[in-house]
Amino acid sequence: MATRLYVPYETTALAMGADEVATRIVREAKVRGASIELVRNGSRGLAWLEPLVEVETPAGRVAYGPVEPDDVAALFDSGFLESRTQHALSRGATEEIPYLKKQQRLTFARIGITDPLSIEDYKTHDGFRGLEKALRLAPQAIVDEVTASGLRGRGGAAFPTGIKWQTVLDAPADRKYIVCNADEGDSGTFADRLVMECDPYLLIEGMTIAGLAVGATQGYIYLRSEYPLAHQLMNEAIARAEAAGYLGENLLDSGRRFNLEVRLGAGAYICGEETSLLESLEGKRGLVRAKPPLPAIEGLFGQPTVVNNVLSLAAVPYILDKGGQAYADYGMGRSRGTLALQLAGNVQRGGLVELAFGATLRELMEDFGDGTFSGRPLRAVQVGGPLGAYLPKSQWDTPMDYEAFAAIGAVLGHGGVVMFDDTVDMGEQARFAMEFCAIESCGKCTPCRIGATRGLETIDRIRADDRRDANLALLGELCETMVDGSLCAMGGMTPFPVQSVLEHFPDDLQGTTAGGRHHAAAL
């Protein structure tokens, strides 16, 4: 009987040599006369162990990693196919790896377990159960379930998903749309990509349920152009779902329809903002629209449109299958369910961590991240992408909750957590925030377009000790103007990292070589 092995087919694993590892395994097995079945699964999200090779045993899967191509022969020598190995790369039972075992995986329950393109695999692990239930419900009942779950937008804005869907459901129109924001541009984020590369049918199911809920028959995935593998896998999954009746003109013989297409983004950070995304999707330059009207009333092509992030839509199948209350049972306060946190930057154990809201930042960085990669003391952490505040040690015990973070002037955003050790120059990080905005601004509103450029110049004058006190006051006023006057969060949030440096790391603005630290940009 053939032994089944799993080698991930996912961007991080591929970048670390997973294809060559898979090739070596097949070659080595042939030379030794070993009977194997190689499955290219998704990643478990434990980036620090990639490529993670798993061997199926009667007691469950056993993991080895990170495996390099030159390790393969030694693994065979050690008897890993027979589960006898004491090889140094052995991690024991995959499900018992502490990094994985301590998580609460609801949205990411399947990643790394299934063959991403196998519908049969997806169904075996509870796939499409939410859709099957939704097809038996009235649209309002679907919306009510999502509302009861407490799900809020996982893209960063944290707007209640049920309210958004209710608005679109109530809007009279002959045509409505579901648009998935998959333009994952924040520094240190990769959770959207993991959904699309490792569990694509989850997103398809979530978007189809959204269509049934609000009366939309057409969906679009606006995909980050830098994600070629996700593009390939999503298109293949959509084609297979259509052939199996889970998409198209007659969903599971119900007489209901929903069609889905992928559209590549234009490579602009600003197109992660929902109205700019809609402009780009319509074939125009990605400029922010003034609101009102809201996209829920006048969105894509002027029609009522649900615009949700990948993770928001990916949470929906669980909610419909298990019930809104089952999802709401996780979390704290108004932050219900789980949050996909992505550990990156100067971190020993980077990867995806799905936890119920309420764990602290310190727990995440120490218990999961295991400190810095450099081994030096951790000095600062940026949460929520390049527009998020830099948090000092005094704030690391803050619970990861939307309201708790807002209370300290921070944002959870899309869950990206970028860590910095004590060599970081925080003055340079403040400069980087303004520079990033100046480059990525759509240019539609003056506070963002001009403010970021003036901010960059002002920081340079401060660091050159040119009329330091006057320019510090000017920078503070400029930040307030950008927060209050910008048309969208691009300019409105750019001051957050700058203000956090002014408050918590003021000494780093003394000069370009402050504290002897070197530049360590967040992107």
Side-chain angles (χ1 to χ4, degrees):
M1 182 176 175
T3 301
R4 184 174 295 168
L5 288 87
Y6 299 83
V7 178
Y9 187 70
E10 171 269 342
T11 294
T12 300
L14 292 175
M16 299 302 290
D19 272 348
E20 180 59 24
V21 168
T23 299
R24 293 278 190 98
I25 287 174
V26 171
R27 185 188 307 160
E28 197 69 28
K30 185 175 181 181
V31 168
R32 295 169 184 256
S35 179
I36 67 166
E37 176 190 351
L38 186 66
V39 177
R40 301 305 299 271
N41 58 320
S43 169
R44 298 271 189 166
L46 281 61
W48 55 286
L49 287 179
E50 293 295 4
L52 182 72
V53 175
E54 296 181 74
V55 180
E56 192 169 275
T57 76
R61 296 187 194 177
V62 176
Y64 302 83
V67 177
E68 296 184 9
D70 289 344
D71 295 322
V72 171
L75 283 171
F76 274 87
D77 289 340
S78 68
F80 86 130
L81 290 185
E82 297 82 27
S83 306
R84 292 187 285 103
T85 182
Q86 296 299 314
H87 195 281
L89 294 179
S90 175
R91 301 287 171 170
T94 310
E95 300 293 342
E96 295 299 315
I97 296 174
Y99 194 99
L100 191 59
K101 189 175 183 180
K102 290 187 290 186
Q103 298 186 38
Q104 291 91 49
R105 288 201 166 180
L106 306 185
T107 299
F108 290 90
R110 267 180 301 267
I111 69 161
I113 295 175
T114 59
D115 172 350
L117 291 176
S118 169
I119 287 180
E120 196 56 44
D121 235 3
Y122 184 68
K123 289 175 65 179
T124 298
H125 293 84
D126 296 342
F128 291 122
R129 286 173 45 166
L131 174 58
E132 290 166 0
K133 181 177 177 181
L135 284 167
R136 300 192 296 267
L137 297 175
Q140 185 61 62
I142 301 173
V143 174
D144 288 345
E145 208 67 67
V146 172
T147 301
S149 75
L151 178 66
R152 295 164 70 177
R154 296 292 188 255
F159 188 80
T161 304
I163 293 177
K164 182 180 288 189
W165 287 21
Q166 187 69 59
T167 304
V168 177
L169 173 60
D170 292 342
D174 294 331
R175 191 164 181 80
K176 299 177 183 180
Y177 296 98
I178 307 297
V179 173
C180 173
N181 183 347
D183 193 52
E184 187 173 47
D186 282 350
S187 47
T189 59
F190 44 86
D192 290 357
R193 177 179 62 76
L194 285 175
V195 168
M196 293 182 285
E197 292 180 358
C198 305
D199 201 8
Y201 296 114
L202 179 66
L203 180 57
I204 291 170
E205 183 178 5
M207 292 187 71
T208 306
I209 292 170
L212 295 172
V214 303
T217 56
Q218 178 67 49
Y220 293 100
I221 298 170
Y222 186 87
L223 177 64
R224 180 173 171 81
S225 59
E226 295 88 343
Y227 283 172
L229 183 59
H231 188 207
Q232 170 200 325
L233 292 172
M234 283 306 312
N235 277 331
E236 178 62 27
I238 287 170
R240 294 190 185 194
E242 287 174 344
Y246 292 102
L247 282 174
E249 298 301 310
N250 187 18
L251 297 171
L252 298 179
D253 297 321
S254 66
R256 316 276 289 277
R257 64 189 177 98
F258 187 75
N259 295 292
L260 185 57
E261 299 177 34
V262 178
R263 291 286 184 268
L264 282 181
Y269 180 78
I270 192 62
C271 287
E273 192 278 332
E274 62 177 1
T275 63
S276 183
L277 182 156
L278 293 174
E279 289 287 292
S280 179
L281 197 53
E282 291 177 3
K284 305 170 188 173
R285 180 182 170 192
L287 293 176
V288 173
R289 297 176 182 175
K291 293 185 283 190
L294 298 170
I297 305 298
E298 291 183 27
L300 187 63
F301 304 120
Q303 301 302 309
T305 303
V306 167
V307 183
N308 278 143
N309 165 262
V310 171
L311 299 182
S312 305
L313 292 161
V316 168
Y318 177 94
I319 292 167
L320 264 291
D321 179 24
K322 309 296 185 185
Q325 187 57 51
Y327 191 78
D329 285 343
Y330 293 85
M332 63 177 287
R334 291 179 52 221
S335 300
R336 311 312 307 174
T338 58
L339 177 65
L341 296 149
Q342 299 121 93
L343 277 168
N346 194 333
V347 58
Q348 182 70 27
R349 296 181 172 180
L352 176 87
V353 180
E354 184 179 1
L355 295 173
F357 285 94
T360 69
L361 193 54
R362 188 185 302 276
E363 289 176 274
L364 177 71
M365 296 189 296
E366 294 180 359
D367 295 353
F368 290 92
D370 198 28
T372 63
F373 184 80
S374 64
R376 298 184 64 89
L378 186 64
R379 183 165 188 241
V381 57
Q382 186 177 40
V383 182
L387 310 183
Y390 292 102
L391 307 181
K393 187 174 183 179
S394 61
Q395 295 181 331
W396 297 346
D397 290 315
T398 304
M400 284 179 289
D401 160 79
Y402 292 121
E403 281 66 44
F405 263 59
I408 62 170
V411 293
L412 277 176
H414 187 47
V417 177
V418 180
M419 294 164 54
F420 300 86
D421 73 12
D422 64 350
T423 64
V424 66
D425 179 350
M426 296 307 297
E428 184 66 19
Q429 292 304 120
R431 185 185 190 279
F432 172 77
M434 286 293 186
E435 182 181 36
F436 181 79
C437 183
I439 292 169
E440 295 292 346
S441 172
C442 78
K444 187 165 185 177
C445 72
T446 303
C448 178
R449 181 183 70 249
I450 304 299
T453 301
R454 296 291 87 85
L456 187 60
E457 295 167 353
T458 305
I459 290 174
D460 282 343
R461 288 196 296 269
I462 292 169
R463 286 167 68 76
D465 205 19
D466 177 5
R467 296 186 302 129
R468 177 180 171 78
D469 291 343
N471 278 305
L472 280 170
L474 179 61
L475 182 61
E477 292 175 5
L478 178 62
C479 285
E480 290 178 10
T481 300
M482 292 180 70
V483 169
D484 295 337
S486 297
L487 194 56
C488 81
M490 181 79 220
M493 289 178 62
T494 290
F496 289 5
V498 179
Q499 290 169 326
S500 66
V501 170
L502 285 169
E503 181 178 357
H504 301 296
F505 308 98
D507 291 347
D508 283 34
L509 285 168
Q510 293 289 343
T512 54
T513 57
R517 299 186 177 95
H518 60 74
H519 171 55
L523 283 179

